[in-house]
Each structure stands twice: as structure tokens, then as C-alpha cells.
Amino acid sequence: MELFNKRLIPIVVINNAEDAYALATTLVEAGLPIAEVTFRTEAAAESIAIMSEVEGMVVGAGTVLEPAQVELAVEAGAQFLMSPGVRADIIREAQLAGKPIFPGIGTPGEIMAAQALGLDTVAVFPVDLFGGSRAISALSAPFTTTSFIPTGGVKQKNLAEYLTMDCVPAVSGTWMTPQALIDSCAFSGITKLVKEALDAVALIPNNYSRPQG
């Protein structure tokens, strides 16, 4: 899937939509033209719209908690959606809009619920709370066609732990785009963090082999 080409998905929290264009430009120029803009602030939808205007940028919406947010995000230009949990009405709204959605899971039952809704890729959130790569390894054994995106606890130091797994196409996290750097418009700092992450990923074997629907 094109969304996973770089194997990294930066999560961004934007308080001021005026920062969105500069952030998107920074990500594109740093070589990682993708972002998950979380619906944790009132600036989310406007920020998605602004970032989507930057050529080459792939923008998604995160922390989607209501079906109405799906509609709002898609209208703003979101190309994918992330939700903290499995909720049928949110997932169906995304499917009706023709957008991929990756709900958070932490148990076998939640994986089965996602499968029943036609999903073959889920997020594991918060992955550190649920047991990290050991939990994903255990969950992936019976669910051989499901792919897992670790999020919530992924950092530079544990990238290889996840990205060497054959069921993990990508990871997402905030360490590349800290909110403090966005708020202070310290985009050179974000460039540095993004390039460090890309350099680290380049050294990690890509063993991903799960089928995609």
C-alpha cells in the first residue's frame, strides 16, 4: 500500500492551523511526505485542508472518535483515517467515503470485529501498554492475514523491534514531529528528527509479507 512506502507515519497535533503549511512543506522536503493529523484540537480539519494542498503530501486524520469526524476529515482532504478503537459506524462511514481506516485494537476479539467489517490492517494502540512486539507476535500467529501498525509508544530506539516483523508494514508516532516543536515553529528540529528516523529505517530489513486486500 502506498501509505506504507516509507514505513513511517508521523502523528501531528496542530494547535494553530497557520503552522500547517510550513509543517507539510517541511515533511515533503525532509523526504517523508505523510502525516496523521489528530482530531485533538479544533484546528485539525483546517490543518488537513491546508496540508493537503502541498504537492506530494499524503494527509490522514487521526483520533477519529465519531462518524461526523470522518465526513469532516474527508471533506478537508484526508486520504486515510485512524481511530483509537473498533467502532462499526465510524468504519462504515470511512468505507462509504472510499477511504482506508485503521482502527486501534488490543485483543483478539477486536481483531475479529475489524475482520468482520472487512478490514485486514489495524493499528495496535497503545502498543507499549499492550506488550509491544511480543503482543503483536502473539496476536499475529492466529490472524495470519492481518497486518498491524504499532502506535502509541513507538520511538526511534525501538523502530527495529517492530519494523523487522513480517506483519508490520509501518509504524506511527509523534517522536518525529513533537507538538512542542510544531507550536514553536521549530521546523528545522523536525527536519532533523525526520531525517534521523528515515536513516534508521533504511538500515532495518523490510520483512513485511502479509497479503493486502
Side-chain angles (χ1 to χ4, degrees):
M1 185 177 289
E2 184 179 351
L3 293 176
F4 306 142
N5 284 349
K6 299 290 186 176
R7 304 168 70 193
L8 295 170
I9 302 174
I11 298 174
V12 301
V13 181
I14 302 176
N15 285 308
N16 188 344
E18 292 180 0
D19 300 331
Y21 185 85
L23 176 59
T25 300
T26 296
L27 291 171
V28 170
E29 292 178 350
L32 187 57
I34 184 170
E36 173 194 334
V37 179
T38 67
F39 267 90
R40 299 179 191 178
T41 73
E42 294 182 358
E46 185 179 356
S47 296
I48 290 170
I50 291 170
M51 296 178 75
S52 295
E53 294 176 357
V54 176
E55 185 175 357
M57 190 69 194
V58 177
V59 187
T63 319
V64 176
L65 302 175
E66 301 286 344
Q69 289 178 320
V70 174
E71 183 178 359
L72 190 62
V74 171
E75 287 179 352
Q79 297 178 50
F80 67 95
L81 302 118
M82 305 281 285
S83 180
V86 179
R87 184 167 151 178
D89 54 352
I90 292 174
I91 291 169
R92 291 193 181 102
E93 188 72 24
Q95 291 170 332
L96 285 171
K99 303 299 179 183
I101 183 167
F102 311 109
I105 61 89
T107 67
E110 290 169 329
I111 297 172
M112 293 173 72
Q115 287 182 332
L117 291 164
L119 303 184
D120 59 16
T121 303
V122 295
V124 184
F125 173 79
V127 69
D128 57 346
L129 181 63
F130 286 125
S133 60
R134 290 182 61 193
I136 294 176
S137 179
L139 289 169
S140 70
F143 299 106
T144 57
T145 61
T146 298
S147 298
F148 301 86
I149 304 171
T151 185
V154 180
K155 301 183 183 302
Q156 183 90 7
K157 63 183 180 182
N158 60 13
L159 278 178
E161 179 181 341
Y162 295 113
L163 288 177
T164 52
M165 303 183 76
D166 67 0
C167 59
V168 173
V171 300
S172 69
T174 59
W175 86 95
M176 297 168 282
T177 48
Q179 186 175 353
L181 294 186
I182 297 173
D183 287 343
S184 61
C185 297
F187 298 113
S188 61
I190 291 174
T191 296
K192 180 177 181 293
L193 292 172
V194 167
K195 288 187 174 180
E196 287 175 353
L198 287 169
D199 287 344
V201 169
L203 299 175
I204 301 172
N206 187 350
N207 299 320
Y208 178 64
S209 62
R210 291 284 164 114
Q212 287 290 307

